Amino acid sequence: MNQTIIQERSGLNQFYAKVYAFVGLGIGLSALVSGLMLTTFQDLLVQIMMNARVWLIVAGFVEVALVYVASSMALKNSPAALPIFLLYSVLNGFTLSFVVSLYTPGTVLTAFVSSAALFFVMALIGVVIKKDLSGMGRALLAALVGLILAMIVNIFLNSSLFDYIISIIMVFVFAGLIAWDNQKIRYVYEESGGQVATGWAVSLALSLYLDFINVFLSFLRIFGSDD
């Protein structure tokens, strides 16, 4: 095999490893904070649930702002991109603990294992598939906007069946996005000639982190519909 090809594959593998190191760090921080809230700081969780839910709303708005800032900083290759992403991961772990607390441990475990398995399969597809998934990715993003609007409408309808259907569709949408985002890692590497800025690694890691979290939340709603 040509030495140049070997070097290119080695460089691409290293870039994948860098992106996934950030993804793993983000998910690990979220899991750690969520776990601490559900165990060591359980009394605080209950107090907030009972008397200070407004802080959950505030945290939600802060999360949206952090995602926007982290994405902007990453695309500018700012050194602040990674700390902001990690801060978002910590805050998201905090808010996730309140969602997870509504489900049984068995449901949470089933949702996590299912999410991890789906993520692995779709990530592998995104890595090996040759067909350009850009068109599918853009269509899925448009579908995601529609699903978010449907979720907002369902806040007023409060239909468990509608929520169940939305959750199933969400799984399929984010499964496709996982494949697309993994393919983008290769495209970004190739288009930069192997000289990829760290900011791009953070940006791609943030996308994959959000894919995983949303798949997990969707599986939680599906498996927890009878909790």
Side-chain angles (χ1 to χ4, degrees), residues 12-165:
L12 178 58
N13 290 337
Q14 289 175 7
F15 184 53
Y16 267 105
K18 185 175 185 178
V19 171
Y20 270 93
F22 292 153
V23 175
L25 188 55
I27 293 175
L29 281 172
S30 296
L32 175 62
V33 173
S34 187
L36 287 173
M37 286 297 297
L38 291 166
T39 53
T40 307
F41 300 105
Q42 190 177 55
D43 290 343
L44 175 61
L45 184 147
V46 173
Q47 285 296 321
I48 294 175
M49 286 283 283
M50 298 295 292
N51 305 310
R53 291 194 177 188
V54 65
W55 288 109
L56 294 178
I57 298 174
V58 172
F61 281 109
V62 173
E63 283 186 342
V64 173
L66 286 176
V67 169
Y68 175 78
V69 173
S71 299
S72 299
M73 292 296 98
L75 295 177
K76 294 175 183 177
N77 198 33
S78 168
L82 182 57
I84 293 172
F85 166 56
L86 298 180
L87 176 61
Y88 167 72
S89 301
V90 169
L91 182 58
N92 198 37
F94 170 78
T95 55
L96 276 175
S97 65
F98 294 90
V99 177
V100 171
S101 68
L102 302 176
Y103 300 92
T104 65
T107 296
V108 175
L109 179 61
T110 301
F112 183 83
V113 172
S114 300
S115 302
L118 178 65
F119 189 94
F120 175 79
V121 171
M122 297 311 298
L124 185 61
I125 291 173
V127 170
V128 302
I129 196 169
K130 300 299 183 183
K131 182 180 179 180
D132 187 357
L133 300 177
S134 300
M136 181 195 73
R138 287 190 290 269
L140 290 174
L141 287 176
L144 180 59
V145 173
L147 286 171
I148 292 173
L149 293 175
M151 292 176 71
I152 294 173
V153 170
N154 198 41
I155 292 175
F156 302 98
L157 296 178
N158 196 27
S159 169
S160 57
L161 176 60
F162 195 27
D163 183 68
Y164 186 79
I165 294 171

Side-chain angles (χ1 to χ4, degrees), residues 129-205:
I129 196 169
K130 300 299 183 183
K131 182 180 179 180
D132 187 357
L133 300 177
S134 300
M136 181 195 73
R138 287 190 290 269
L140 290 174
L141 287 176
L144 180 59
V145 173
L147 286 171
I148 292 173
L149 293 175
M151 292 176 71
I152 294 173
V153 170
N154 198 41
I155 292 175
F156 302 98
L157 296 178
N158 196 27
S159 169
S160 57
L161 176 60
F162 195 27
D163 183 68
Y164 186 79
I165 294 171
I166 291 173
S167 298
I168 292 175
I169 299 174
M170 276 281 197
V171 169
F172 284 102
V173 168
F174 279 103
L177 288 176
I178 290 168
W180 183 40
D181 286 334
N182 273 278
Q183 188 179 75
K184 280 196 293 185
I185 295 175
R186 185 174 78 245
Y187 285 173
V188 167
Y189 180 85
E190 292 174 349
E191 289 173 5
S192 67
Q195 305 300 314
V196 193
T198 299
W200 269 110
V202 176
S203 178
L204 292 163

